[in-house]
Amino acid sequence: MRGLILCALTGVLFAFSASAQSELKTAKGKVFIEVEYVNDHGAKATRWDPLPGAFVVWRSTGEGAATDASGFFKLKGAVGDTLQVSFIGMQTAMMPFIGQNFIEVPLASGLVLEAAEVMVQGQTSSYSMLDPMNVQTLDRGELAKAACCNISEAFETNAAVDASFTDAITGTRQIRMLGLDGKYTQMLQDNLPGPRGVAVLQGMTFIPGPWVDAISISKGAGSVTMGHESMTGQINVAMRNAENAERFHLNAYVNRMGRNELNTVTRHSLARKWNAALLTHGEWTDRENDYNEDGFQDNALRKDVVLRGELKYRGDRGIRGEYAVSGVVKELKSGQVPMVHLLQPWAVDQTVRRMDASAKTGYVFPAHLWRSIGTQFYVSSHSQRQDFGSRTYDAQEDFAQFNILYATILGTADHRITGGLTGKLSSYCENVWWNDYSPEPVPPPFLASKRIDRTVGAYVEYTWARDLWDVVAGVRVDEHVFFGTFFTPRINVRYTATDWLTLKVASGKGWRTAVPLTEFAGPWASNRTWMFPEAGTSANFYGLEPEQSWNTGLNLISKFRLGYRDAGVSLDAYRVDFTDRVILDLENPRFARVYSSPSSLSSSAQAEFWWDIHRRLSVRMAYRWIETATTFMLRDPININLPLTPTVLTDPFVSKHRGFVNLAYASRVGEDGSAWKVDLTVQAVGAQRLPSTAANYDASLEDPDVHVRPDEGEAYILASGQVTRLFSSELEVYLGSENLTGYQQDRPIIAADDPFGDYFDASLVYAPVFGRNLYAGLRWTLDN
């Protein structure tokens, strides 16, 4: 009954808002500010840059909004009214609105208001009400609220994405969205392929946080122009580049675990049309820690070097280009301590070597600015070897992708169409073997896989954009070299009911092929035996079929004023239904069984509220609910000769309930640019189902249950905080702590005293292994 009443009220609200706005038109445009810079010849010059945070209001009513990060604004008003544009220290501009399609407003310098109070404050995390997709953007300020050393650690202050550890030994992190593993979220880097394939987990560490300009989190299947692999959503990492980076930026970081980092970003002007950026990252951890005294390191020893260079070209006749190359050298060691005193320690030794390059070139037709053509090329070579105790995994992946797209309008700017061709080629070579510490020659691998994963496809996407609503409908057809043809439709709809309320609906299909030995990293930190289906029509894919799913969701966003200050609410609900899903079955503690589940679904709902309580204090709160159900094929633990029985279980390591609160304080900025910032984040993580370890009961032991763990991980609270001191606009230092409550999972490693025995298992991790982690760092920026 309450649902029917809500639907009825919503319908009345939509009808009322539509009739009330039928006489209005939408004013769209950008606000610009004149800035000085040093040109290629060392002389001072000026240019016009977009101005975020400018206030744009209707003179007749005083209603309006602030420009976004790109200086863009969009307001509904009456033709004949006047737009009033203002910004502190600038002259106010008046712009008559006569129904123009796009308005550019330049603001000139005015009198500096010495009494004006400026604060280090603003929405560092925001939702778009204009984008038909459910997109949340995290800017640099949001990433600086916590110890964001790389992308796998970038979501500590975000409610939409969960981060957890794959095991209790290596410290490898994985993310989840909508209750599903991060492999179902399409990771992009500057709208090009991000961590995927063999690098789906390790690749998250290849993007240091200080290199990032912004992160866009999109729930739902997304756009067909980005590919077919998005099943829960997309995360696009926008890098600092040759246009938006400071002239010089340095970030140094140390923490209690002995982790040290140094990151730099520099921007260089090479010629009038060419600019460059160089990004460097170095990380080393040289301290062994075993605070829980289980005989294993709490954190891995690391030596990482990541380099990236980028060129940007901006021609005079509509040609734009972005070209980048990156390299990674990564070494990780972990295991028993002290390793030097043990004759044959159980150890982890991992090495990664990677190179990738990309080229994006676009052309906008000068006589038809609404028409463009672009090409995207990306290649990578990834080599990874890891020793876990007596087992070794060696993998090589060479990947290439191209995307050619063409965009134009159909008659008017309200109707846009984009079409293109794509191609992907992945060459995999994987080997697994036991190391019995015998002399050469090395025994042959007990599991070997070589395959070519090739896909070509075409897509078309149509956008019908109006003031109050947008419809984005697309379809793509892909031909896989082994599995045949896949048809992928997607649709996203936005309806703006009022200036403060937007409703979005999305539905679409996604599919992908699995790389299970790297996607399921946990069992490597155990003595479980890997098991795959019988070789069949897809023998080169471990007998696994492609994963396919449908994602359907609803999102409501409202932005309003509460107590004369900005506030907002975002409500969303999504359901992901798999027709084929590759799962990791850990229900028998002796095995890691990988197979395709005939049925799996995830339902989720999230409510988020944010409010600028005071001009210096803001709060963001969220609650998320997740319900999963997957069909596992289980064997009777007593009579193993009985056939497998389909059993529906909730997914392990997924908490049904999660609460989130973030408080952010920013002081007044002094005349010398000094200020204070304080951030506090508290998360309540609900109970989680854990894989069964009942079969570890051993009556012959003094304590038969010593290797048995509960079937449910308890609920717990995590808190993190950070204090930042800005000494000027160029220099700031920060001090913080992760896991302020010091919560640690009890006995995360089974049979830690016998790592080469049958019971050893460090993969059943649901909570932090390391306790309170203090850290400190500094940021130094020069941007004259």
Side-chain angles (χ1 to χ4, degrees):
M1 178 62 70
R2 285 181 295 179
L4 294 175
I5 295 175
L6 178 60
C7 291
L9 291 175
T10 304
V12 172
L13 178 61
F14 287 174
F16 174 78
S17 63
S19 63
Q21 298 182 28
S22 60
E23 302 300 321
L24 302 180
K25 292 201 66 174
T26 299
K28 306 176 184 178
K30 276 191 174 183
V31 179
F32 295 87
I33 184 175
E34 190 175 23
V35 297
E36 286 189 352
Y37 72 102
V38 179
N39 62 22
D40 301 333
H41 305 289
K44 288 186 176 181
T46 60
R47 67 181 181 219
W48 291 92
D49 284 355
L51 178 62
F55 289 97
V56 184
V57 300
W58 293 109
R59 192 175 184 185
S60 62
T61 64
E63 296 180 351
T67 56
D68 64 13
S70 301
F72 180 79
F73 67 87
K74 183 177 180 181
L75 300 173
K76 297 179 182 65
V79 175
D81 204 343
T82 299
L83 287 168
Q84 179 175 303
V85 185
S86 61
F87 191 80
I88 293 176
M90 309 300 295
Q91 295 181 13
T92 299
M94 300 291 183
M95 183 69 64
F97 179 55
I98 56 175
Q100 305 98 308
N101 290 329
F102 197 83
I103 306 168
E104 294 184 348
V105 185
L107 287 187
S109 298
L111 296 175
V112 178
L113 306 179
E114 296 182 358
E117 184 176 348
V118 183
M119 291 154 291
V120 187
Q121 183 72 357
Q123 288 292 338
T124 57
S125 173
S126 60
Y127 288 90
S128 172
M129 296 184 68
L130 303 178
D131 195 320
M133 300 178 193
N134 181 13
V135 179
Q136 182 184 19
T137 301
L138 316 179
D139 66 13
R140 298 184 192 178
E142 185 69 17
L143 299 178
K145 288 182 177 182
C148 174
C149 299
N150 57 63
I151 294 304
S152 69
E153 302 164 313
F155 305 102
E156 298 297 325
T157 62
N158 178 266
V161 180
D162 293 337
S164 61
F165 294 99
T166 61
D167 59 78
I169 296 176
T170 65
T172 302
R173 290 178 182 249
Q174 63 181 349
I175 64 170
R176 287 189 177 92
M177 184 187 292
L178 307 184
L180 296 168
D181 291 344
K183 63 179 181 177
Y184 299 116
T185 301
Q186 186 179 20
M187 295 294 301
L188 301 170
Q189 185 174 340
D190 286 333
N191 287 320
L192 290 170
R196 65 175 306 281
V198 173
V200 68
L201 290 179
Q202 297 295 332
M204 302 286 283
T205 66
F206 303 160
I207 309 176
W211 289 11
V212 177
D213 184 58
I215 299 176
S216 298
I217 303 171
S218 174
K219 295 181 181 179
S223 169
V224 297
T225 63
M226 293 291 102
H228 57 77
E229 294 182 335
S230 172
M231 302 173 79
T232 58
Q234 295 172 334
I235 296 179
N236 181 51
V237 181
M239 307 292 287
R240 298 193 187 194
N241 55 51
E243 289 186 343
N244 62 34
E246 298 85 357
R247 184 168 60 88
F248 174 81
H249 174 76
L250 179 144
N251 179 285
Y253 170 91
V254 296
N255 72 14
R256 178 191 174 201
M257 295 187 296
R259 180 174 176 177
N260 308 274
E261 284 197 21
L262 186 65
N263 302 275
T264 66
V265 179
T266 58
R267 173 174 50 84
H268 311 272
S269 180
L270 305 180
R272 184 175 67 86
K273 299 179 182 179
W274 288 92
N275 291 284
L278 178 63
L279 301 87
T280 69
H281 165 80
E283 176 185 344
W284 62 101
T285 304
D286 54 7
R287 181 185 305 161
E288 293 183 353
N289 300 296
D290 183 19
Y291 288 98
N292 59 4
E293 299 181 347
D294 61 2
F296 279 78
Q297 293 175 215
D298 296 334
N299 58 281
L301 308 182
R302 301 173 183 269
K303 291 181 181 179
D304 299 350
V305 175
V306 188
L307 303 175
R308 176 181 171 87
E310 180 176 319
L311 289 173
K312 281 217 171 189
Y313 174 81
R314 182 177 291 273
D316 296 327
R317 299 185 178 182
I319 298 179
R320 304 287 187 268
E322 299 177 15
Y323 313 97
V325 60
S326 301
V328 178
V329 176
K330 179 183 177 71
E331 296 180 359
L332 179 149
K333 295 180 183 295
S334 189
Q336 285 182 284
V337 293
M339 297 180 63
V340 294
H341 300 305
L342 295 175
L343 179 63
Q344 185 179 309
W346 194 99
V348 175
D349 194 339
Q350 183 182 85
T351 60
V352 174
R353 302 290 186 270
R354 180 182 177 88
M355 289 288 295
D356 63 65
S358 62
K360 294 194 293 185
T361 305
Y363 176 71
V364 178
F365 293 80
H368 307 284
L369 298 180
W370 33 263
R371 181 182 299 165
S372 63
I373 188 171
T375 61
Q376 299 176 341
F377 296 93
Y378 178 86
V379 294
S380 67
S381 178
H382 182 99
S383 175
Q384 178 174 321
R385 179 189 172 103
Q386 56 192 34
D387 297 305
F388 280 82
S390 60
R391 293 185 292 183
T392 296
Y393 171 72
D394 185 89
Q396 173 72 39
E397 179 190 5
D398 297 311
F399 174 75
Q401 175 178 302
F402 76 85
N403 186 18
I404 302 174
L405 57 131
Y406 174 79
T408 186
I409 63 174
L410 299 176
T412 67
D414 291 344
H415 303 273
R416 303 191 300 272
I417 191 166
T418 301
L421 301 172
T422 61
K424 294 190 304 179
L425 175 66
S426 293
S427 173
Y428 293 98
C429 180
E430 298 177 285
N431 293 291
V432 177
W433 62 81
W434 296 107
N435 183 355
D436 58 1
Y437 298 100
S438 61
E440 298 289 342
V442 175
F446 81 88
L447 190 153
S449 173
K450 292 184 179 181
R451 73 175 192 263
I452 299 295
D453 199 344
R454 184 173 67 245
T455 306
V456 294
Y459 59 86
V460 61
E461 186 172 81
Y462 167 71
T463 302
W464 189 3
R466 304 288 292 179
D467 290 342
L468 296 182
W469 48 267
D470 295 286
V471 177
V472 180
V475 63
R476 62 179 299 126
V477 178
D478 296 281
E479 181 71 20
H480 190 275
V481 65
F482 201 85
F483 295 108
T485 305
F486 292 86
F487 182 73
T488 308
R490 294 175 182 175
I491 186 170
N492 295 270
V493 179
R494 171 193 67 91
Y495 179 72
T496 298
T498 69
D499 287 338
W500 49 270
L501 182 64
T502 293
L503 179 67
K504 303 178 183 182
V505 179
S507 184
K509 182 184 177 182
W511 67 275
R512 65 184 298 275
T513 55
V515 190
L517 288 174
T518 54
E519 294 171 359
F520 302 127
W524 288 110
S526 73
N527 287 330
R528 293 173 181 261
T529 300
W530 288 95
M531 295 185 65
F532 294 93
E534 295 293 333
T537 58
S538 53
N540 292 331
F541 293 82
Y542 304 100
L544 303 171
E545 297 296 323
E547 300 182 276
Q548 302 184 65
S549 69
W550 285 89
N551 185 326
T552 303
L554 179 69
N555 173 230
L556 186 147
I557 301 175
S558 178
K559 294 184 179 181
F560 47 88
R561 304 279 285 182
L562 182 62
Y564 301 101
R565 301 205 173 273
D566 290 337
V569 171
S570 174
L571 306 175
D572 63 52
Y574 288 87
R575 180 184 171 106
V576 182
D577 285 278
F578 284 87
T579 54
D580 286 286
R581 181 188 176 190
V582 175
I583 65 171
L584 173 65
D585 183 344
L586 300 177
E587 301 307 315
N588 186 320
R590 300 282 75 75
F591 302 102
R593 298 179 57 236
V594 179
Y595 53 86
S596 294
S597 171
S599 174
S600 180
L601 65 87
S602 173
S603 301
S604 65
Q606 179 174 309
E608 185 169 351
F609 167 76
W610 62 92
W611 182 28
D612 292 338
I613 302 175
H614 186 268
R615 62 182 179 273
R616 299 192 185 100
L617 180 65
S618 63
V619 62
R620 193 164 72 251
M621 298 184 292
Y623 167 75
R624 191 216 57 211
W625 169 87
I626 289 177
E627 183 71 55
T628 61
T630 298
T631 300
F632 288 79
M633 303 301 293
L634 301 184
R635 191 181 300 277
D636 190 298
I638 299 176
N639 190 346
I640 61 174
N641 295 320
L642 293 177
L644 296 174
T645 303
T647 306
V648 178
L649 300 174
T650 59
D651 289 1
F653 309 113
V654 177
S655 61
K656 187 172 184 178
H657 305 282
R658 182 188 176 201
F660 171 92
V661 177
N662 175 259
L663 292 170
Y665 168 83
S667 74
R668 178 176 178 176
V669 179
E671 294 182 359
D672 57 354
S674 61
W676 288 91
K677 292 194 291 185
V678 181
D679 295 280
L680 176 66
T681 302
V682 179
Q683 300 182 54
V685 182
Q688 308 168 42
R689 188 186 76 81
L690 302 180
S692 174
T693 56
N696 280 343
Y697 180 86
D698 190 343
S700 65
L701 299 177
E702 182 179 350
D703 181 0
D705 290 321
V706 66
H707 302 314
V708 178
R709 296 291 185 269
D711 291 338
E712 184 177 84
E714 64 180 2
Y716 59 92
I717 300 237
L718 285 180
S720 62
Q722 179 176 289
V723 177
T724 304
R725 173 59 175 172
L726 286 76
F727 293 98
S728 66
S729 60
E730 298 180 346
L731 180 64
E732 60 184 88
V733 298
Y734 54 93
L735 176 67
S737 175
E738 300 173 293
N739 195 5
L740 279 168
T741 59
Y743 182 83
Q744 293 177 261
Q745 180 177 336
D746 182 43
R747 299 183 301 156
I749 302 179
I750 299 176
D753 58 341
D754 185 19
F756 292 97
D758 293 338
Y759 295 107
F760 175 73
D761 194 344
S763 66
L764 306 184
V765 176
Y766 66 90
V769 176
F770 194 85
R772 191 175 296 106
N773 181 29
L774 301 175
Y775 64 87
L778 68 85
R779 302 182 185 97
W780 181 29
T781 305
L782 299 176
D783 197 26
N784 294 334

